[in-house]
Amino acid sequence: MPKLGMEPIRKAALVKATIVEIGRSGSLDVTVSQIAKRAGMSSALAHHYYGSKEAIFLAAMRHVLSLYGAEVRGALAVVQGPEARLRAILCASFSPANFRREVVGAWLNFYVLAQTVPEARRLLSVYQRRLRSNLLVCLRPLAGARAEAVAEGLGALIDGVYLRQALREGAPDGAAAMQTVLAQLDAQLQGKS
Amino acid sequence: MPKLGMEPIRKAALVKATIVEIGRSGSLDVTVSQIAKRAGMSSALAHHYYGSKEAIFLAAMRHVLSLYGAEVRGALAVVQGPEARLRAILCASFSPANFRREVVGAWLNFYVLAQTVPEARRLLSVYQRRLRSNLLVCLRPLAGARAEAVAEGLGALIDGVYLRQALREGAPDGAAAMQTVLAQLDAQLQGKS
DNA sequence: AAGTTTATTGACTCGTCAATCAACAAAAAA
DNA sequence: TTTTTTGTTGATTGACGAGTCAATAAACTT
């Protein structure tokens, strides 16, 4: 009983299922059938809407990235002052929505995907540049000439905390993760202003 | 013309080839045939010596990990004092041997492997605990009660720098990487002793 | 010399999976 | 009502790849 206007619904379901499956299995070795099954349709339909497995992966990646971007924008919209904005960015990075187990697992595998698929690499570069730029705006008034170096370090630290989270057994703890990052940030800012 | 005593030679060649292939392709989707070919033998021989692809991967992982461990031990042997030892650990982490493109690429994929293969996860946990322990010994006299938190942050930062290196286009720059980490370390130590 | 162990490979099996296709169903347009 | 567009799937194709096996050969043992 085909209803019309299914395309966006199906596509969204596939993207969601892809993230879950990659997160669950912890690798990109996920079959289109698995994804389609979790999304409640046949694998043929997945191909019908996306054309290829790679396209599905890229759509999932864009989704995670745009979710993250939206979260950051939202957090930045309600605060002002460099320090508060800095905290808002970090807060968004470790918010429950982004720091869910499956999402973190997906992130790790998107890094792997970026090694092979140019478009995935591009997407990840965009994310990194935007993060860097956001940090820099806040850091320049706070850290002056050292801003670039601090931003570089903070970015790497965030990625590293994600990486370690992917390996952790228990439930994710965004609060603890943010504490780690905040401690480093405070130390950097105290040294010199 | 079979010569005897080939086993260790073949195994070593396979391990080396595995790291190169994973690093080159940037993923674990490497066939046993590819690895065997690069190591100069048939895929059947690779199976003969290791029994399975997974066993080859694990052997490669152990090799990278033990190389890293040896480098750290070597660096620690020739210096004393907490600060110098700390620097020695970081120096080893970004030494040319460990920070080669292929090796960094392999690291990233070993993290992925650890999501699926329990033994891989165990190996990675051992590495993380040892690093943490090494850092802690040096940090306790320098950072007191904050040592734990600083060690956690430093560990994550190192992993993060590796992760970003894996995505970088150009040649690896261990010196710059170490500079990033050292800056964070100095800031942490300056704050409070 | 006969037998055993080690080294080595080409050919084969067997399963898996991305992608395609033919076919069917329902809504919309003509 | 016919036709076209949209949604949907089971079955199939074609490729690829891990792991096995039989066969060959050189080296050691007795």
Side-chain angles (χ1 to χ4, degrees), chain B:
Chain B
M1 44 299 211
K3 288 164 190 171
L4 289 222
M6 293 303 285
E7 178 156 354
I9 297 170
R10 294 301 200 186
K11 281 193 162 184
L14 283 168
V15 160
K16 203 171 165 185
T18 302
I19 295 165
V20 171
E21 281 299 308
I22 291 180
R24 276 176 67 88
S25 81
S27 92
L28 296 172
D29 280 335
V30 175
T31 69
V32 175
S33 296
Q34 278 169 32
I35 296 171
K37 187 172 188 179
R38 179 167 299 270
M41 71 193 82
S42 73
S43 71
L45 196 53
H47 275 106
H48 173 64
Y49 282 126
Y50 275 110
S52 77
K53 185 178 175 175
E54 190 177 300
I56 300 178
F57 280 171
L58 288 174
M61 209 170 147
R62 281 193 204 95
H63 186 251
V64 169
L65 256 25
S66 83
L67 268 195
Y68 173 75
E71 190 111 356
V72 170
R73 262 195 312 282
L76 281 178
V78 294
V79 295
Q80 50 187 351
E83 233 156 327
R85 293 173 74 81
L86 217 35
R87 274 161 208 277
I89 293 172
L90 300 182
C91 201
S93 296
F94 299 106
S95 75
N98 289 313
F99 212 57
R100 289 201 319 269
R101 176 162 263 313
E102 334 127 35
V103 176
V104 173
W107 267 101
L108 172 56
N109 283 282
F110 289 156
Y111 265 95
V112 172
L113 192 64
Q115 306 278 307
T116 322
V117 181
E119 174 68 4
R121 173 179 291 247
R122 220 201 85 244
L123 289 173
L124 222 47
S125 298
V126 169
Y127 144 76
Q128 283 192 347
R129 270 200 299 277
R130 198 162 48 192
L131 173 61
R132 181 189 167 81
S133 158
N134 280 334
L135 292 175
L136 229 39
V137 169
C138 303
L139 282 171
R140 260 199 260 271
L142 295 172
R146 284 218 337 264
E148 317 261 340
V150 175
E152 178 72 20
L154 267 185
L157 180 58
I158 292 173
D159 283 359
V161 169
Y162 262 79
L163 187 59
R164 296 196 150 205
Q165 173 60 36
L167 205 61
R168 174 106 89 258
E169 312 263 350
D173 186 348
M178 192 162 64
Q179 211 42 54
T180 297
V181 180
L182 278 179
Q184 300 263 340
L185 174 61
D186 286 348
Q188 291 278 329
L189 295 184
Q190 228 136 39
K192 220 178 199 175
S193 61

Side-chain angles (χ1 to χ4, degrees), chain A residues 17-27 38 101-102 105-106, chain B residues 115:
Chain A
T18 302
I19 294 165
V20 171
E21 281 298 308
I22 291 180
R24 276 177 66 88
S25 80
S27 92
R38 180 167 296 271
R101 175 161 265 309
E102 335 127 33
Chain B
Q115 306 278 307

Side-chain angles (χ1 to χ4, degrees), chain A residues 60-142:
Chain A
M61 209 171 148
R62 279 192 206 94
H63 185 252
V64 169
L65 256 26
S66 84
L67 268 195
Y68 173 76
E71 189 111 357
V72 170
R73 261 195 312 283
L76 282 178
V78 294
V79 294
Q80 50 187 351
E83 232 155 326
R85 293 172 76 80
L86 216 35
R87 275 160 207 277
I89 293 173
L90 301 181
C91 202
S93 296
F94 299 106
S95 76
N98 289 313
F99 211 56
R100 287 202 320 269
R101 175 161 265 309
E102 335 127 33
V103 176
V104 172
W107 266 101
L108 171 56
N109 282 283
F110 290 156
Y111 266 95
V112 171
L113 192 65
Q115 305 279 305
T116 322
V117 181
E119 174 69 4
R121 174 180 291 248
R122 218 201 88 242
L123 289 173
L124 222 45
S125 298
V126 169
Y127 144 76
Q128 283 193 348
R129 270 199 300 277
R130 197 163 48 190
L131 173 60
R132 181 190 166 82
S133 157
N134 280 335
L135 292 176
L136 229 39
V137 169
C138 303
L139 282 170
R140 261 199 259 270
L142 294 173

